[in-house]
Amino acid sequence: MTQTDYTESHEQIKDTQIGYCRYGHGPNYVLAICGAVGCYKKDWPLKLLSHFPPDQVTIIGIDPPGYGTSRPPDRKQEVQRCQKDSEYCLGLMEALKLEPFTVMGWSEGARTTVHVAAKGKEKVNRMIVMAGATKVNHLGAMAFKGMRETNHWLPAGRQPYLDHYPEEFLRTQWAALCDVVDQVHTFMGGRFPSDLALPQVKCPTLIMNGGMDRFCGDPNVCFIPVLKSLAKVEVHAQGGHDFYQKYPKWFSSKVLEFFKSTEKK
């Protein structure tokens, strides 16, 4: 890999300077979306991206509005947040002239991914959802309530966030996010807006999970009943919620296999 295979920059999209990183120069264009209170440096670090051959992919890691390098202002957590983020995602890839593209998102970013694929239509040729869910049940809602106070987390759980954000930002953002999950569970029947958008997704989809993930929804509940034959599932048996960072070789090989199997002849 040469130095020019990885760059960081900003692009004015709508009302916000959107920060992003760019890796590789290959023909498979990919937009990578971070998880809750994440950023591309945390959730799509160079040590992970470098497992992809730079001559096969061009990966854009986006910082959605209010996260990472797309601040100030700080993020406003709300039920429609992922849906709003999708407009900036589509705008960035259009501005960079990287269409059609694969949209790939982890955890909360998986919900944004659904909106991007649904709204982008022919601009999005594949979708990869990782450790994601479009619904939350009673157990999931209770788990979020139990995690609301970040100062009660184990240091090992807090540190990846504190490497990129001040403690106060993590505390307030995570509490606000937990309030959003509670609203979805209490007032929307446990269905995030992405669940309503899912039937509009018409592109090949790869669903990736860790077999030991305590937070991720069952794809047979969220995705498979709607996407049916469009979807393929890959599970790393030993992987947790962050399986793709713990097992990057496995992750990159499965993604590249997916690209090959869905190439237009």
Side-chain angles (χ1 to χ4, degrees):
M1 189 185 81
T2 66
Q3 220 172 355
T4 53
D5 281 325
Y6 184 82
T7 56
E8 296 178 78
S9 190
H10 281 83
E11 192 77 30
Q12 183 73 31
I13 307 296
K14 296 175 68 175
D15 55 352
T16 305
Q17 277 279 308
I18 293 294
Y20 68 94
C21 68
R22 181 175 184 142
Y23 170 81
H25 54 268
N28 289 299
Y29 304 152
V30 184
L31 176 69
I33 306 170
C34 64
V37 199
C39 57
Y40 66 73
K41 288 177 183 172
K42 172 184 171 291
D43 297 339
W44 302 102
L46 180 56
K47 65 180 180 182
L48 168 68
L49 300 180
S50 60
H51 282 85
F52 289 90
D55 60 343
Q56 291 187 35
V57 297
T58 300
I59 300 176
I60 302 298
I62 185 173
D63 276 344
Y67 280 163
T69 56
S70 299
R71 295 156 52 230
D74 287 346
R75 191 168 178 83
K76 184 187 175 194
Q77 301 290 357
E78 54 186 320
V79 169
Q80 303 291 343
R81 185 68 260 175
C82 292
Q83 192 172 348
K84 291 179 179 179
D85 286 351
S86 68
E87 296 172 15
Y88 293 89
C89 292
L90 289 162
L92 178 62
M93 294 305 272
E94 182 180 2
L96 298 177
K97 297 182 169 52
L98 297 174
E99 298 173 332
F101 64 93
T102 297
V103 61
M104 174 168 71
W106 174 68
S107 197
E108 183 189 55
R111 290 195 281 276
T112 304
T113 292
V114 171
H115 287 294
V116 172
K119 201 176 290 183
K121 302 194 186 322
E122 69 283 348
K123 294 179 179 181
V124 178
N125 54 13
R126 300 180 189 92
M127 177 170 85
I128 302 174
V129 290
M130 301 156 52
T134 58
K135 299 177 182 177
V136 61
N137 61 16
H138 178 69
L139 285 175
M142 292 305 290
F144 268 93
K145 269 188 179 170
M147 293 174 63
R148 193 178 188 278
E149 301 297 331
T150 56
N151 58 327
H152 295 164
W153 293 8
L154 292 172
R158 285 154 49 90
Q159 198 54 50
Y161 296 91
L162 297 179
D163 286 344
H164 303 281
Y165 291 117
E167 193 152 350
E168 179 65 9
F169 183 89
L170 172 61
R171 188 183 67 77
T172 55
Q173 290 288 322
W174 194 270
L177 183 77
C178 289
D179 292 344
V180 166
V181 174
D182 185 59
Q183 288 171 39
V184 169
H185 177 252
T186 305
F187 302 115
M188 299 174 65
R191 299 180 73 189
F192 287 93
S194 55
D195 197 58
L196 305 177
L198 197 55
Q200 298 162 43
V201 174
K202 305 298 180 190
C203 60
T205 298
L206 179 61
I207 300 163
M208 305 187 80
N209 289 334
M212 310 294 285
D213 189 352
R214 296 179 295 120
F215 305 105
C216 179
D218 181 349
N220 292 306
V221 173
C222 290
F223 297 108
I224 303 300
V226 179
L227 297 173
K228 299 185 172 69
S229 61
L230 283 174
K232 178 185 180 185
V233 179
E234 294 283 2
V235 178
H236 192 294
Q238 288 81 44
H241 197 56
D242 60 350
F243 68 90
Y244 71 111
Q245 293 213 47
K246 290 284 173 60
Y247 304 99
K249 270 190 184 173
W250 178 87
F251 168 63
S252 61
S253 69
K254 293 299 180 187
V255 170
L256 292 170
E257 280 173 26
F258 176 57
F259 287 168
K260 200 164 185 182
S261 69
T262 53
E263 268 177 5
K264 291 212 168 153
K265 307 296 181 196

